Amino acid sequence: MAKTPKDNPNYKVIAENRRARYDYAIQEDLECGIELQGSEVKSLRTGQSNIAESYAAVENGELWLTNSYIAPYDQAMFGHEDRRRRKLLVTRRELAHLWSETARKGMTLVPLVLYFNHRGIAKVKVGVAKGKKAPDKRATEAKRDWQRQKRRLLKENG
């Protein structure tokens, strides 16, 4: 039986976009590599990053992560810009698929999780998503509240 990423001691979540699942209906997700500078990797190891306001886009045949924040590393000899665009690494086939999905009306690419995989390599999970309207958000919240209440009732009676 294969180990899940969370069972592996090297797997570490650096930043999570928790708001994404509330604001968007995630159709599918894809693991991407991310092109980083040395000081960015050091900063990520200390856990100083944020992907909450960031987004991904296909531009000129490449996939880019825009507006993600990685704090400057103080001990670095050559620092980095904290909000620079970072290239995401995917295969040509995956890139073509993402481009065709975002060409459809209302679809966007949202970064969900930034993490180190079991080999210690930084990865970004990008979701192909459609924006939710206010009634959809209320339905999601009601469903989550019902699940929470159901667990509470089962705990009391069990």
Side-chain angles (χ1 to χ4, degrees):
M1 187 167 107
K3 281 188 169 183
T4 62
K6 285 151 180 87
D7 294 339
N8 196 306
N10 295 330
Y11 179 86
K12 180 184 174 192
V13 173
I14 304 163
E16 190 173 5
N17 189 355
R18 299 184 67 183
R19 182 101 183 146
R21 296 202 187 272
Y22 179 75
D23 289 335
Y24 299 97
I26 309 297
Q27 306 292 326
E28 60 183 280
D29 57 4
L30 175 71
E31 182 181 72
C32 305
I34 184 169
E35 197 173 87
L36 298 171
Q37 296 175 350
S39 61
E40 291 174 330
V41 176
K42 288 283 198 177
S43 186
L44 287 178
R45 295 244 179 246
T46 61
Q48 301 174 348
S49 66
N50 186 3
I51 58 169
E53 299 95 29
S54 61
Y55 62 94
V58 179
E59 296 173 12
N60 300 326
E62 295 178 334
L63 185 61
W64 294 93
L65 181 65
T66 307
N67 203 27
S68 61
Y69 175 78
I70 298 178
Y73 188 64
D74 295 333
Q75 291 90 0
M77 192 176 287
F78 304 104
H80 64 273
E81 190 179 325
D82 55 358
R83 288 213 181 259
R84 74 178 182 90
R85 286 179 9 146
R86 292 169 179 88
K87 187 174 180 181
L88 296 179
L89 308 172
V90 292
T91 63
R92 260 193 216 127
R93 180 179 290 157
E94 291 168 337
L95 184 66
H97 176 70
L98 291 175
W99 184 81
S100 67
E101 288 288 319
T102 56
R104 292 191 327 197
K105 186 177 179 188
M107 300 300 274
T108 186
L109 299 175
V110 180
L112 302 172
V113 183
L114 176 62
Y115 61 95
F116 286 111
N117 69 0
H118 67 283
R119 292 174 44 208
I121 298 170
K123 299 284 184 178
V124 177
K125 188 173 280 192
V126 175
V128 178
K130 186 172 183 77
K132 286 185 184 177
K133 304 276 192 270
D136 298 333
K137 291 179 186 180
R138 282 194 292 270
T140 303
E141 199 167 322
K143 184 178 175 186
R144 187 175 58 231
D145 288 344
W146 167 243
Q147 293 297 330
R148 190 178 299 140
Q149 188 177 4
K150 194 165 62 171
R151 277 196 310 268
R152 198 176 300 131
L153 289 171
L154 288 172
K155 194 174 184 180
E156 286 177 4
N157 296 334

